[in-house]
Amino acid sequence: MDSNNAPEARLRAADERDYALFARLFLELNTGDETPSEATFRATFLHRMRVFERDGATIGMTIFDKLPEAAYVRIIVIAPEHRARGEGRALMNAIATVLRAEGCKTWRLNVKRDNSAALALYKRMGMRVAYESTAFNLFWSQLDALQTSASAERAVVLAEREDEHVERAWSLPTGQLAQWRARPGNFLLRVERTSDPSDLGAGFVRFEPAFPGAFPLRVREIGSARTLLEACLAQRDLSKDYVRLVVEDNEPFARAMYAAGATTHMELFHMTGSLVSL
Ligand SMILES: CC(C)(COP(=O)(O)OP(=O)(O)OC[C@H]1O[C@@H](n2cnc3c(N)ncnc32)[C@H](O)[C@@H]1OP(=O)(O)O)[C@@H](O)C(=O)NCCC(=O)NCCS
């Protein structure tokens, strides 16, 4: 079937009855992460999820986060029985239409480096690899093996008034930090150096104890990752003895993670593209 001649597709907001669909399609992402429980689905994913339908049939689902000028596509899945017929492209085009109508100019996403189908799709949509990143699995017991900071510093809660500066320092889209802060169970911390407390670019982390994940975790000096992770440790979910953390575009930091005994969970590309010239 050529989707160009197919019955019209639409994106609809998900509702509570879509948990079974979410759980089935989440597995298709093959992330190795636990399928979120129904309670987590309701709290974290439901209001962001959209179901892709054609002629009343469910074709796939997506979750994307819209910021004032940029958007992050978090999940896109076409159900296995509908693949390789142009539905992935149709879904991406439907997302782009929504985003453009809301004023977004760029979009971005993370994709596993070995996911050739998704890579082909995103390149077809004009997206390009901006950088490589690695998602690590670190047991909290391995944290002691990570080098400490040479500077006197501590982790402090990132204040709202600091968002703009930190977003600029780490090339995050405007509004990203406020969006994370608003999510239940998210902690935003930054590094404060004794020598220069006004320096807002030494490092920051978003920590989600329930996942448990540290993403993003950006640091100017590797030792600051230990400072931030120790603060995360204090907030951890005691039933989880590990944390998933993502090292983005920072090879020395990735090497330090391996040296500490962390293992690779996923190797990713970060891709970005224009919605204007699409
Ligand atoms: C990735 C995914 C959404 C693609 O959906 P799809 O409906 O099969 O894709 P389409 O038919 O629209 O194909 C889009 C492009 O990708 C290419 N493509 C699709 N499957 C491919 C494959 N297995 N290998 C290589 N290229 C592939 C197509 O040739 C097409 O390119 P073209 O327009 O130049 O011909 C689908 O495979 C999927 O849901 N995978 C599991 C979940 C997943 O990995 N999501 C992405 C997470 S980042």
Side-chain angles (χ1 to χ4, degrees), residues 26-39:
F26 183 88
L27 286 175
E28 296 294 324
L29 293 168
N30 205 15
T31 58
D33 296 326
E34 243 172 69
T35 303
S37 67
E38 189 157 359

Side-chain angles (χ1 to χ4, degrees), residues 25 28-30 59 73-80 82-92 109-112 115-122 124:
L25 296 186
E28 296 294 324
L29 293 168
N30 205 15
I59 305 291
V73 180
R74 304 286 178 185
I75 291 180
I76 127 160
V77 185
I78 296 296
H82 293 292
R83 286 191 198 148
R85 292 184 215 159
E87 295 291 13
R89 265 174 78 190
L91 174 51
M92 288 295 278
L109 49 80
N110 294 308
V111 53
K112 278 162 75 175
N115 190 343
S116 47
L119 274 166
L121 169 62
Y122 302 148
R124 193 78 165 78

Side-chain angles (χ1 to χ4, degrees), residues 2-218:
D2 180 345
S3 65
N4 293 328
N5 302 322
E8 204 175 322
R10 69 167 190 143
L11 271 181
R12 71 156 172 88
D15 64 43
E16 293 185 354
R17 289 164 298 181
D18 289 314
Y19 176 66
L21 174 71
F22 171 81
R24 175 167 80 92
L25 296 186
F26 183 88
L27 286 175
E28 296 294 324
L29 293 168
N30 205 15
T31 58
D33 296 326
E34 243 172 69
T35 303
S37 67
E38 189 157 359
T40 305
F41 166 72
R42 284 175 196 223
T44 313
F45 297 101
L46 171 57
H47 61 286
R48 297 156 63 210
M49 171 176 162
R50 297 186 196 214
V51 179
F52 187 54
E53 295 178 331
R54 188 179 296 285
D55 207 17
T58 298
I59 305 291
M61 69 143 170
T62 182
I63 291 182
F64 54 92
D65 294 326
K66 198 199 92 55
L67 295 164
E69 296 211 333
Y72 221 123
V73 180
R74 304 286 178 185
I75 291 180
I76 127 160
V77 185
I78 296 296
E81 62 276 19
H82 293 292
R83 286 191 198 148
R85 292 184 215 159
E87 295 291 13
R89 265 174 78 190
L91 174 51
M92 288 295 278
N93 278 319
I95 297 169
T97 300
V98 171
L99 293 174
R100 265 196 305 261
E102 297 194 28
C104 281
K105 296 188 175 60
T106 63
W107 53 354
R108 57 181 67 205
L109 49 80
N110 294 308
V111 53
K112 278 162 75 175
R113 283 183 230 165
D114 62 2
N115 190 343
S116 47
L119 274 166
L121 169 62
Y122 302 148
K123 285 184 180 157
R124 193 78 165 78
M125 300 304 296
M127 302 183 97
R128 294 289 168 257
V129 172
Y131 54 78
E132 295 183 356
S133 52
T134 306
F136 286 97
N137 195 84
L138 179 83
F139 287 104
W140 288 117
S141 57
Q142 294 169 323
L143 190 52
D144 282 350
L146 205 59
Q147 67 194 68
T148 50
S149 175
S151 313
E153 62 181 31
R154 61 181 187 143
V156 295
V157 172
L158 179 68
E160 267 176 66
R161 64 174 184 286
E162 297 165 345
D163 286 0
E164 205 184 317
H165 191 107
V166 173
E167 282 166 353
R168 222 174 315 119
W170 298 105
S171 304
L172 297 175
T174 305
Q176 179 66 89
L177 292 167
Q179 190 175 71
W180 281 324
R181 189 180 288 105
R183 294 228 178 112
N186 277 231
F187 292 87
L188 290 176
L189 305 167
R190 70 167 176 86
V191 173
E192 184 185 77
R193 291 251 159 104
T194 310
S195 58
D196 182 5
S198 66
D199 173 7
L200 297 176
F204 87 98
V205 65
R206 173 177 73 115
F207 180 53
E208 233 184 322
F211 177 48
F215 170 69
L217 169 56
R218 304 277 183 88

